[in-house]
């Protein structure tokens, strides 16, 4: 792959567009198809991970109860009830699937692939074949992870963080047998896939920008995906090395992480979080970028503080590499390091603050259209703030003594990941759907989905902060045999019921999505009257994206510009007299 | 949401007040952001024919909302140093009671100093599984170990949490201030029994504690 | 990347690397105080690595961006190393 | 700044500010490789310096042999770079043989290392014996794997060269070279931290 000169190949592809169904839609090298492939497979995994979450919620509300009808199908092997070892397995799979198979692939994989070439004005990725390869590394990863459910002992059950020694000793819990090994292999594949993607994205963004598309004329989405790719590129290999060491500990009897052999269990946590803290920003930055574009477009107003926005993304990424210890405050790590990590973690809130305020600045004196994408983008801002602020509590080391590994953290996770990233994704899906499939999604149902989701989301996850304040630990199958939690069952049942509602609300989205796919109103090329390049080509774009490569004359956010009477001004429209490029 | 559950140790004061401080700072930020957000949505919703104000931002505003939160956050960081140092770095002196706690799947096992009041001597006493007693108003140093996987020693009321790492003995301390019964929870996933790895903690006066210990000693001699 | 670049000091660099390696082996043999020896050896290794990167990998002649791509990770490595060394427990 | 995109230049790689796309990508790849070895090396150092009575490699392995091996790898680096250089100078014949030499030296390096491994195994040190074993085999093993990949890559380049490739575009040689030198660079560090310190 590396020695090939793919652009020659890509060029050929356009001339003789692949005819066979397989080359066109399955083993396609077209970034748009690959993006859609990522979109579908990750949404599928959202459903899987979500349904697992519902099982967890059910257990937490009515522990050890037989599930009325479905029980026999789900827990058939254990008398229609969840078994004690089943719960950690559910938690682990929920976390792993949601993070590695849903949120990262949907952000970088789906939207990264679909949007980067279109928004920078290129005909495809720099390395289309590598791009296809990256998707076809995800597929076996999916399969291996799912296969884990069927090996004896069941799936990995050491949490998505798979702390050693629990995950290193094959006989520790049922799931830490074959299932854990599957988990490792699967993540190795995911890591390889996303590294390939990262190389491709960075190269494309640096090399294949259309004429006049200076770095500081890139849309925020692209900036975010660019920095994200850099994070992936530099963080993922460390996870890979850690996973391999863990694999050796499990298989060939090394003792890197095992105290018996003089190894160091905390080493795993260091290496894991060296990847996984940057990873949490991998899971939010693209959403931030897409939200920025959506907000600016529907406020009909230039993004407030473009450069500060760019620099704060960079700052988040940079600082993201020196805060990982905030996951280890209580781990027995040298407490002096706790101080340095606490300080850096406090400071990383600053760039996020800047971004938040600039989003508000963008709304100020705008012409705000409350469309479905916009509503979701706004929900992103408002819930991300809650999630972020809850993170500041955890960053306060002394408070974290109490909050660590309680539901406070679980609440934090979901406010940033569901409230943040996922609302961003909902917004992005409905915003770019017309460009992806040439049809509009139903606006009314979009709003219905939004309102139901927004309300039930908060009803599910806000109480988690209260549970956290009560000190309810994470990853426990049955809170109520602790006396200090015994009075919390009501709260949990309320959350669980809200979770059912939340789940059903997602059905609305899926139905809307698939119905619009076939029945949706035909979409104009630029239905939102937006400025960025993807809207200057047809919906859906031709195989080569642009019939003639665009030339860029201005930044992406020239809304309500005085230069023209309509309130948008595409990046590639040449005004006469043409401004100096 | 009125702060954390009632505390029963010297840490409760500083930690809970710090929690409140953070709650206020973030609360202000929260109300500010959400308030402004909602206000803008109403105030600036689309009006036909109208055009939005054309501006790309303003350096002075950017600086203000960079510097102010920056200082707040940095201040917040400095403000916590002492509490953390006191809780995790500082160690109480000789008057402290030293107790060994060993965690395993899925039990807590405490070892108390015998008559000589010293640890690591032959007369050390093992308490029954999952039973822990501590005197109030006296610093207690726990020497925490694990025999198998990670566990975490979490007594919410005492505001203590410390992971137990196999192959290491981690020392931490607390000083209970109120008598009472509390749960010791395991806060680190340690396998299928994680949820039921519960210890019963009794905080009692020094006298009651000594009595309990003696009676324990007696019984251990008994058999 | 054109042909006009004159003869580059590839051979001289090679000699340098060889000599440095010899010195390393020698130093390793010396009965120095550990800290000092380790310091010297790491220094020598760094020089050798730099030589390879600058001349054999052409960073000295190429676009600076490539040097940044190759160099930045080392910053992270240093951070990682400092933290992990600060956090290690000496078992005796 | 002149951007050239896929469509404009059909059969040459696009160039941005004088950087060829593929070369840029290779450097990104190398950056990720650095982080991969970083994980392993940092783990090794921290484990090793947690253990005061760590047995030194020099007590188990013959440093002179490894020094020789190091020299071989360095030597293979110079043949590689000269291969690229002579190709640039237009002396393709010379370039071919230098490439071949590089690959052969790589193979020699691997076989010496293989010998060293079996030697250590006979001394009864497996990867599972102790942390020295674990770290030693892991680090040298992953490096060796990289050398092996490098050899295959260089051999394929050599084959193409002998079939008259790289007449005017030497990018292929340069890319293989970058990877080869990187592997050499990693060894320079490993040699120091495993065998000498
Ligand atoms: C998208 C993912 C995402 C994001 C963006 C974040 C963002 C942040 N996270 Fe979070 N975090 C996770 C995902 C994420 N986190 C996950 C998954 C875990 C759990 C892992 C596990 O154990 O399973 C975790 C755990 C976690 C911990 C460990 C808790 C524990 O286990 O004890 C900590 C501790 O410091 C932390 C802190 C932070 C901070 C300070 C931010 C900051 O970046 C937030 C910054 C944003 C704001 C602060 C809001 C906007 C700012 C303003 C409105 C300005 C005004 C604010 C002030 C003046 C305070 N996070
Ligand atoms: C992107 C990340 C993400 C997302 C979206 C979610 C979504 C949800 N999460 Fe989860 N969660 C995590 C990431 C995420 N989570 C992580 C990282 C952890 C930590 C794991 C660990 O500790 O190791 C965690 C842990 C976690 C816990 C703590 C478990 C424990 O510690 O004991 C709980 C408990 O309530 C929970 C609940 C939920 C719920 C109810 C949802 C709901 O929002 C889910 C709603 C969605 C659905 C239910 C699917 C919708 C689809 C349908 C149902 C429609 C079907 C359609 C058709 C058939 C066409 N999550
Ligand atoms: Cu012990 Cu969880
Ligand atoms: Cu983090």
């Amino acid at each position: 792959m590396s020695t090939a000169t793919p652009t020659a190949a890509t060029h050929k592809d356009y001339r003789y567009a692949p005819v066979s169904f397989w080359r066109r839609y399955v083993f396609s090298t077209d970034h748009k198809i690959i993006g859609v492939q990522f979109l579908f497979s990750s949404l599928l995994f959202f459903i899987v991970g979500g349904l697992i979450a519902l099982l967890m919620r059910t257990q937490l509300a009515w522990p050890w109860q037989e599930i009325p009808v479905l029980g026999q199908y789900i827990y058939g092997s254990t008398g229609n009830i969840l078994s004690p070892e089943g719960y950690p397995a559910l938690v682990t799979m929920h976390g792993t699937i949601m993070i590695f198979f849903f949120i990262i692939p949907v952000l970088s994989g789906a939207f990264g692939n679909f949007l980067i070439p279109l928004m920078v004005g290129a005909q495809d990725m720099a390395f289309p074949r590598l791009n296809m390869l990256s998707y076809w590394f995800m597929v076996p990863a999916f399969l291996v992870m799912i296969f884990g459910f069927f090996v004896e002992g069941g799936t990995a059950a050491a949490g998505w963080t798979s702390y050693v020694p629990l995950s290193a000793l094959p006989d520790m819990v049922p799931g830490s047998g074959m299932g854990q090994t599957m988990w490792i292999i699967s993540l190795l594949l995911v890591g390889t896939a996303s590294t390939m993607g990262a190389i491709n994205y960075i190269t494309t963004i640096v090399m294949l920008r259309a004429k006049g598309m200076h770095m500081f004329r890139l849309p925020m989405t692209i900036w975010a995906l660019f920095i994200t790719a850099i994070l992936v590129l530099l963080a993922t290999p460390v996870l890979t090395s850690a996973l391999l060491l863990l694999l050796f500990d499990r298989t060939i009897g090394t003792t890197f992480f095992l105290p018996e052999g003089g190894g160091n269990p905390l080493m795993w946590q260091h290496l894991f979080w060296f990847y996984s803290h940057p990873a949490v920003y991998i899971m939010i930055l693209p959403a931030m970028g897409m939200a920025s574009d959506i907000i600016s477009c529907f406020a009909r107003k230039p993004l407030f503080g473009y450069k500060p926005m760019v620099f704060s993304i960079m700052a988040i990424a940079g600082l993201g590499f020196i805060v990982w210890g905030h996951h280890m405050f209580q781990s027995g790590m040298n407490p002096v390091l706790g101080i340095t990590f606490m300080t850096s973690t406090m400071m990383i809130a600053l760039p996020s603050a800047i971004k938040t305020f600039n989003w508000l600045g963008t709304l100020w004196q705008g012409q705000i259209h409350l469309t479905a994408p916009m509503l979701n983008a706004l929900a992103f801002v408002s819930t991300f703030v809650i999630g972020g602020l809850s993170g500041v509590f955890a960053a306060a080391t002394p408070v974290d003594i109490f909050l660590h590994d309680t539901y406070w953290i679980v609440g934090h996770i979901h406010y940033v990941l569901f409230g943040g990233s996922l609302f961003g994704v909902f917004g992005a899906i409905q915003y770019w759907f017309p460009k992806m499939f040439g049809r509009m999604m139903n606006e009314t149902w979009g709003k219905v989905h939004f309102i139901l989701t927004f309300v039930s989301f908060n009803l599910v996850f806000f109480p988690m902060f209260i549970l956290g304040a009560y000190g309810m630990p994470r990853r426990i199958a049955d809170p109520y045999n602790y006396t200090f939690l015994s009075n919390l069952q009501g709260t949990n049942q309320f959350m669980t019921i809200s979770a059912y509602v939340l789940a059903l609300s997602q059905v609305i989205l899926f139905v809307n999505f698939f119905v619009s796919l076939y029945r949706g109103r035909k979409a104009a090329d630029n239905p939102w009257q937006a400025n960025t390049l993807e809207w200057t080509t047809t919906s859906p774009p031709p195989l080569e994206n642009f019939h003639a490569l665009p030339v860029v004359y201005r930044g992406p956010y020239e809304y309500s510009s005085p230069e023209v009477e309509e309130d948008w001004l595409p990046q590639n429209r040449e005004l006469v007299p043409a401004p100096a490029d | 949401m009125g702060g954390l559950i009632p505390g029963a140790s010297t840490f409760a004061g500083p930690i809970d007040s710090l929690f409140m401080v953070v709650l206020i700072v973030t609360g202000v930020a929260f109300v500010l952001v959400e308030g402004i957000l909602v206000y803008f949505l109403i105030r600036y919703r689309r009006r036909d024919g109208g055009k939005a104000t054309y501006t790309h931002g303003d350096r002075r505003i950017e600086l203000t909302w960079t510097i102010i939160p920056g200082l707040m956050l940095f201040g917040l960081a400095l403000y916590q140093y002492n509490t953390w140092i006191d809780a995790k770095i500082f160690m109480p002196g000789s008057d402290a009671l030293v107790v060994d706690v060993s965690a395993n799947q899925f039990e807590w096992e405490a070892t108390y100093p015998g008559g000589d009041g010293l640890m690591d001597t032959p007369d050390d006493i093992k308490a029954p599984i999952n039973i822990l007693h501590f005197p109030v108003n006296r610093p207690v140093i726990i020497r925490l170990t694990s025999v198998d996987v990670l566990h975490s020693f979490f007594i919410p009321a005492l505001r203590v949490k410390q992971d137990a790492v196999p192959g290491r003995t981690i020392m931490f301390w607390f000083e209970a201030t109120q008598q009472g019964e509390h749960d010791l929870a395991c806060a680190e996933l340690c396998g299928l029994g994680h949820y039921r790895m519960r210890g019963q903690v009794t905080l009692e006066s020094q006298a009651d504690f000594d009595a309990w210990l003696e009676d324990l000693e007696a019984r251990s001699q008994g058999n | 990347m054109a042909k006009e670049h004159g003869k580059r000091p590839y051979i001289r660099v090679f000699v340098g690397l060889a000599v440095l390696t010899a010195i390393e082996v020698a130093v390793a043999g010396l009965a120095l105080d550990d800290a000092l020896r380790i310091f010297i050896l790491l220094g020598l290794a760094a020089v050798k690595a730099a030589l390879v990167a600058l001349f054999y990998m052409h960073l000295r002649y190429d676009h600076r961006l490539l040097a940044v791509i190759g160099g930045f990770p080392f910053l992270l490595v240093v951070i990682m190393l400092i933290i992990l060394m600060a956090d290690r427990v000496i078992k005796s | 700044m002149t951007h050239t995109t896929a469509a404009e230049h059909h059969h040459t790689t696009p160039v941005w500010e004088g950087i060829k796309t593929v070369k840029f990508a290779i450097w990104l790849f190398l950056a990720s490789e650095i982080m991969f070895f970083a994980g392993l090396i940092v783990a090794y150092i921290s484990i090793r310096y947690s253990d005061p009575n760590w047995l030194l490699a020099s007590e188990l392995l013959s440093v002179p042999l490894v020094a020789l091996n190091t020299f071989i790898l360095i030597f293979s680096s110079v043949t590689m770079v000269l291969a690229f250089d002579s190709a640039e100078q237009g002396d393709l014949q010379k370039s071919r043989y230098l490439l071949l030499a590089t690959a052969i030296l790589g193979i020699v390096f691997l076989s010496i290392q293989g010998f060293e491994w079996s030697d250590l195994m006979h001394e009864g040190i497996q990867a599972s014996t102790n942390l020295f074993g674990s770290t030693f085999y892991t680090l040298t093993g992953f490096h060796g794997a990289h050398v092996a990949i490098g050899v295959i890559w260089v051999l394929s380049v050599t084959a193409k060269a002998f079939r008259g490739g790289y007449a005017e575009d030497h990018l292929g040689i340069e890319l293989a070279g970058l990877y080869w030198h990187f592997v050499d660079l990693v060894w320079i560090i490993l040699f120091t931290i495993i065998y000498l310190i």
Side-chain angles (χ1 to χ4, degrees):
Chain A
M1 125 267 147
S2 4
T3 44
T5 61
T7 49
T10 40
H11 183 72
K12 247 200 260 87
D13 289 353
Y14 306 140
R15 284 301 137 80
Y16 328 104
V19 277
S20 83
F21 170 84
W22 286 89
R23 286 282 291 101
R24 195 126 165 53
Y25 294 109
V26 182
F27 297 102
S28 166
T29 58
D30 176 1
H31 72 97
K32 300 184 283 305
I33 304 288
I34 297 173
V36 174
Q37 289 173 324
F38 266 107
L39 183 64
F40 282 133
S41 28
S42 50
L43 283 178
L44 188 77
F45 272 84
F46 173 53
I47 296 173
V48 176
L51 295 173
I52 292 176
L54 296 186
L55 294 179
M56 285 152 46
R57 282 305 334 165
T58 313
Q59 162 71 12
L60 289 167
W62 301 279
W64 319 123
Q65 298 294 310
E66 188 165 334
I67 298 183
V69 189
L70 304 168
Q72 59 212 22
Y73 305 112
I74 309 171
Y75 304 132
S77 54
T78 55
N80 306 1
I81 346 174
L82 177 62
S83 59
E85 62 267 36
Y87 187 78
L90 289 179
V91 175
T92 307
M93 280 302 114
H94 170 68
T96 309
I97 288 176
M98 283 298 196
I99 282 186
F100 292 107
F101 294 120
F102 170 51
I103 208 73
I104 294 181
V106 80
L107 289 170
S108 294
F111 290 103
N113 264 306
F114 186 82
L115 292 177
I116 288 174
L118 282 168
M119 285 182 129
V120 301
Q123 297 197 310
D124 202 329
M125 286 288 178
F127 307 107
R129 277 197 236 78
L130 180 64
N131 204 16
M132 176 181 79
L133 202 61
S134 134
Y135 178 75
W136 289 105
F137 262 78
M138 284 305 280
V139 174
F142 290 155
L143 298 179
V144 174
M145 186 61 77
I146 289 304
F147 186 65
F149 276 103
F150 306 110
V151 299
E152 67 90 22
T155 52
W160 82 281
T161 53
S162 281
Y163 276 7
V164 293
L166 189 61
S167 59
L169 301 169
D171 50 4
M172 262 312 153
V173 289
S176 58
M178 203 51 200
Q180 189 68 45
T181 312
M182 292 287 174
W183 184 90
I184 295 173
I185 295 169
S186 174
L187 257 56
L188 283 170
L189 291 164
V190 175
T192 322
S194 37
T195 313
M196 290 178 186
I199 293 179
N200 220 338
Y201 297 171
I202 300 174
T203 315
T204 310
I205 292 170
V206 173
M207 295 285 172
L208 300 189
R209 278 167 291 137
K211 191 164 187 316
M213 180 65 90
H214 313 153
M215 286 308 270
F216 282 110
R217 286 181 178 175
L218 289 172
M220 283 319 269
T221 305
I222 299 301
W223 264 113
L225 286 163
F226 180 58
I227 304 291
T228 305
I230 295 176
L231 285 176
V232 173
L233 184 78
L234 297 178
T236 316
V238 178
L239 178 67
T240 310
S241 54
L243 286 167
L244 286 166
L245 296 184
L246 182 57
L247 193 60
F248 294 157
D249 276 7
R250 298 176 52 82
T251 50
I252 64 172
T254 59
T255 58
F256 294 102
F257 302 127
L258 294 173
E260 303 75 285
N264 176 359
L266 292 195
M267 177 93 62
W268 165 261
Q269 298 184 25
H270 277 296
L271 295 176
F272 180 84
W273 288 118
F274 184 91
Y275 161 76
S276 278
H277 185 83
V280 306
Y281 295 113
I282 292 170
M283 297 174 227
I284 196 81
L285 290 181
M288 287 177 160
M290 298 190 292
S292 305
D293 280 10
I294 296 173
I295 289 175
S296 171
C297 170
F298 290 109
R300 313 308 297 162
K301 188 162 169 295
L303 188 68
F304 199 89
Y306 176 88
K307 284 200 175 170
M309 283 292 225
V310 173
F311 292 137
S312 38
I313 293 186
M314 293 178 180
I316 291 178
L319 286 167
F321 275 112
I322 57 170
V323 298
W324 79 85
H326 66 216
H327 297 271
M328 300 171 63
F329 285 145
Q330 322 307 335
S331 67
M333 170 181 72
N334 178 345
V336 179
L337 288 175
I339 294 180
T340 62
F341 278 122
M342 179 262 278
T343 315
S344 54
T345 307
M346 281 288 165
M347 292 331 286
I348 207 172
L350 183 55
S352 311
I354 298 171
K355 296 191 76 64
T356 311
F357 296 140
N358 278 299
W359 285 318
L360 294 181
T362 310
L363 295 173
W364 170 74
Q365 292 198 348
Q367 283 282 329
I368 300 170
H369 299 38
L370 288 179
T371 59
M374 181 62 158
L375 287 169
N376 282 285
L378 294 168
F380 165 89
V381 175
S382 55
T383 48
F384 166 72
V385 167
I386 301 179
L389 293 172
S390 66
V392 174
F393 288 79
T397 35
V399 180
D400 186 65
I401 295 175
F402 186 93
L403 296 182
H404 172 66
D405 272 343
T406 65
Y407 264 66
W408 184 281
I409 307 308
V410 180
H412 167 70
I413 297 178
H414 291 89
Y415 263 91
V416 282
L417 278 170
F418 192 116
S421 315
L422 193 42
F423 273 112
V425 170
F426 289 155
I429 290 179
Q430 299 179 59
Y431 182 69
W432 277 292
F433 188 91
K435 188 54 65 180
M436 283 183 168
F437 306 109
R439 294 177 179 274
M440 306 297 287
M441 275 179 81
N442 181 301
E443 186 67 18
T444 327
W445 284 109
K447 291 204 172 88
V448 174
H449 162 261
F450 166 75
I451 292 169
L452 284 171
T453 310
F454 188 72
V455 172
S456 51
F457 161 77
N458 284 289
L459 294 183
V460 181
F461 295 110
F462 196 82
M464 287 188 174
F465 293 124
I466 298 162
L467 298 186
Y470 273 92
M472 173 171 164
R474 298 167 60 174
R475 299 166 170 179
I476 55 173
D478 178 3
Y480 314 112
N481 69 343
Y482 285 119
T483 43
F484 68 103
L485 299 175
S486 47
N487 60 338
L488 291 178
Q489 187 154 12
T491 321
N492 272 305
Q493 288 166 339
F494 172 77
M495 293 158 66
T496 301
I497 292 162
S498 316
Y500 296 154
V501 179
L502 181 58
L504 291 178
S505 329
Q506 304 320 308
V507 181
I508 299 177
L509 177 77
F510 281 89
V511 172
N512 186 357
F513 186 97
F514 284 106
V515 172
S516 310
L517 212 48
Y518 299 103
R519 299 232 185 311
R521 195 154 44 77
K522 280 249 174 295
D525 288 354
N526 187 359
W528 313 117
Q529 305 184 328
N531 290 343
T532 41
L533 290 180
E534 78 272 29
W535 302 108
T536 63
T537 182
T538 55
S539 321
L543 187 60
E544 70 274 33
N545 287 351
F546 303 93
H547 296 296
L549 279 170
V551 178
V552 173
Y553 297 101
R554 61 187 63 79
Y557 301 114
E558 293 305 298
Y559 294 103
S560 304
S561 152
E563 287 181 277
V564 289
E565 68 283 353
E566 65 271 34
D567 65 356
W568 79 99
L569 180 51
Q571 285 188 276
N572 67 336
R573 183 186 308 167
E574 183 167 19
L575 294 174
V576 281
D581 174 13
Chain B
M1 186 186 60
L4 311 173
I5 54 168
S9 82
T10 52
F11 292 147
I15 288 184
D16 294 17
S17 66
L18 180 60
F19 180 88
M20 277 306 160
V21 171
V22 181
L23 187 60
I24 289 161
V25 174
T26 53
V28 170
F30 170 74
V31 173
L32 211 78
V33 171
E34 309 288 358
I36 295 176
L37 180 65
V38 173
Y39 170 74
F40 281 178
L41 291 190
I42 297 162
R43 172 78 178 67
Y44 299 117
R45 73 190 175 287
R46 60 121 30 112
R47 250 170 265 78
D48 305 340
K51 248 191 177 188
T53 318
Y54 178 76
T55 164
H56 288 86
D58 174 298
R59 158 149 307 117
R60 278 193 330 303
I61 301 179
E62 296 286 348
L63 284 177
T64 359
W65 69 38
T66 306
I67 293 168
I68 292 175
L71 293 177
M72 286 171 80
L73 286 161
F74 195 65
L76 212 52
L78 295 177
Y79 178 78
Q80 325 166 0
Y81 282 9
N82 292 335
T83 319
W84 176 251
I85 292 171
D86 187 44
K88 291 266 175 171
I89 299 174
F90 160 87
M91 273 292 150
S94 52
D95 64 327
L97 165 74
V98 181
V99 181
D100 278 359
V101 175
S102 156
N104 64 60
Q105 291 176 318
F106 301 94
E107 304 164 327
W108 301 98
E109 204 172 357
T111 310
Y112 289 85
D116 59 3
L118 299 170
M119 287 306 290
D120 313 316
T121 52
D123 65 346
D124 294 350
I125 314 163
K126 273 203 187 327
I129 296 298
N130 289 334
I131 300 295
L132 298 90
H133 285 234
F134 301 117
V136 294
N137 303 324
R138 174 178 175 194
V140 177
I141 297 181
I142 307 271
R143 301 193 303 191
L144 185 62
T145 60
S146 165
V147 301
D148 38 42
V149 299
L150 296 182
H151 302 270
S152 192
F153 184 99
F154 179 33
I155 305 178
L158 296 184
R159 305 288 188 268
V160 290
K161 181 181 284 127
Q162 175 60 58
D163 287 10
V165 183
R168 291 192 195 188
T169 305
I170 299 172
M171 290 224 270
F172 65 99
W173 75 284
F174 59 84
E175 180 175 338
T177 51
Q178 292 162 31
Q179 310 193 4
E181 298 277 331
H182 296 286
D183 277 357
L184 162 60
C186 178
E188 191 64 71
L189 178 58
C190 51
L192 55 96
H194 170 53
Y195 71 97
R196 57 175 150 84
M197 186 164 165
R198 162 173 174 236
Q200 282 138 312
V201 179
T202 312
L203 305 176
E204 57 201 0
S205 69
Q206 183 68 47
D208 298 355
F209 174 75
D210 295 336
W212 172 77
L213 208 56
E214 263 154 37
D215 148 279
L216 206 61
E217 200 163 14
R219 265 196 268 105
S220 58
Q221 256 105 53
N223 43 50
Chain C
M1 285 292 74
K3 293 168 175 48
E4 71 272 5
H5 66 65
K7 273 235 115 321
R8 288 174 177 175
Y10 292 132
I11 305 293
R12 262 182 287 135
V13 170
F14 167 65
V15 174
L17 289 171
V19 172
L20 284 171
T21 313
I23 298 178
E24 277 188 316
V25 177
V27 172
L30 295 181
L32 287 170
D33 143 70
D34 259 7
L36 179 64
R37 204 179 80 253
I38 291 174
F39 180 78
I40 299 177
L41 286 172
L42 288 180
L44 291 169
V47 175
K48 285 165 70 184
L51 284 173
V52 173
L54 287 176
F55 293 97
Y56 288 0
M57 301 174 89
H58 307 123
L59 283 183
R60 196 160 166 285
Y61 314 102
D62 269 345
H63 193 289
R64 191 187 274 98
L65 183 56
L66 297 183
V68 174
I69 297 174
F72 183 70
F74 286 96
L75 189 73
L76 300 179
V77 178
V78 170
I79 294 170
M80 240 166 128
L81 197 57
I82 293 173
I83 300 288
L84 268 102
M85 290 309 268
D87 186 38
R88 75 195 201 286
V89 280
I90 316 280
K91 350 186 166 41
S92 40
Chain D
M1 54 215 293
T2 61
H3 301 283
T4 49
T5 54
E8 291 167 23
H9 290 240
H10 297 178
H11 296 290
T12 69
T13 42
V15 177
W16 175 72
E17 292 199 344
I19 317 176
K20 298 201 186 70
T21 302
V22 189
K23 189 167 159 187
F24 181 82
I26 280 286
W27 269 103
L28 293 175
F29 168 67
L30 291 184
S32 75
E33 285 277 66
I34 296 174
M35 291 313 289
F36 171 73
F37 279 103
L40 300 176
I41 291 176
V42 169
Y44 161 72
I45 294 181
S46 129
I47 285 176
R48 177 196 164 149
Y49 283 99
S50 309
D51 181 353
N53 39 25
W54 177 273
L55 44 74
L56 295 170
S58 47
E59 290 159 13
L60 294 154
L61 306 155
S62 85
V63 172
L65 183 67
V66 186
L68 170 69
N69 222 7
T70 311
F71 178 82
I72 291 172
L73 206 56
I74 294 174
F75 190 59
S76 77
S77 245
V78 74
T79 52
M80 184 75 221
V81 76
L82 288 176
F84 172 60
D85 193 50
S86 37
E88 292 268 292
Q89 310 295 339
D91 184 346
L92 291 171
Q93 196 57 18
K94 188 168 159 212
S95 167
R96 293 183 188 121
Y97 288 107
L98 283 163
L99 282 168
L100 191 59
T102 312
I104 293 169
L105 286 166
I107 294 167
V108 174
F109 173 89
L110 283 175
S111 21
I112 294 186
Q113 188 165 63
F115 169 76
E116 188 186 25
W117 274 38
S118 63
D119 200 37
L120 200 58
M121 299 251 180
H122 284 112
E123 289 184 39
I125 295 191
Q126 258 66 345
S128 53
T129 313
N130 54 21
L131 275 169
F132 170 79
S134 309
T135 51
F136 176 82
Y137 288 111
T138 311
L139 287 174
T140 56
F142 275 117
H143 177 265
H146 278 73
V147 177
I149 294 168
V151 168
I152 296 167
W153 188 346
V154 173
L155 279 177
S156 66
V157 171
T158 317
K160 185 171 171 195
F162 273 100
R163 277 190 268 94
Y166 309 112
E168 70 286 342
D169 176 9
H170 323 113
L171 187 62
I173 302 179
E174 185 176 14
L175 298 177
L178 282 172
Y179 181 79
W180 191 260
H181 298 310
F182 166 76
V183 174
D184 180 20
L185 193 153
V186 171
W187 181 254
I188 288 175
I189 294 163
L190 290 184
F191 173 60
T192 310
I193 64 174
I194 297 181
Y195 296 89
L196 298 183
I197 288 178

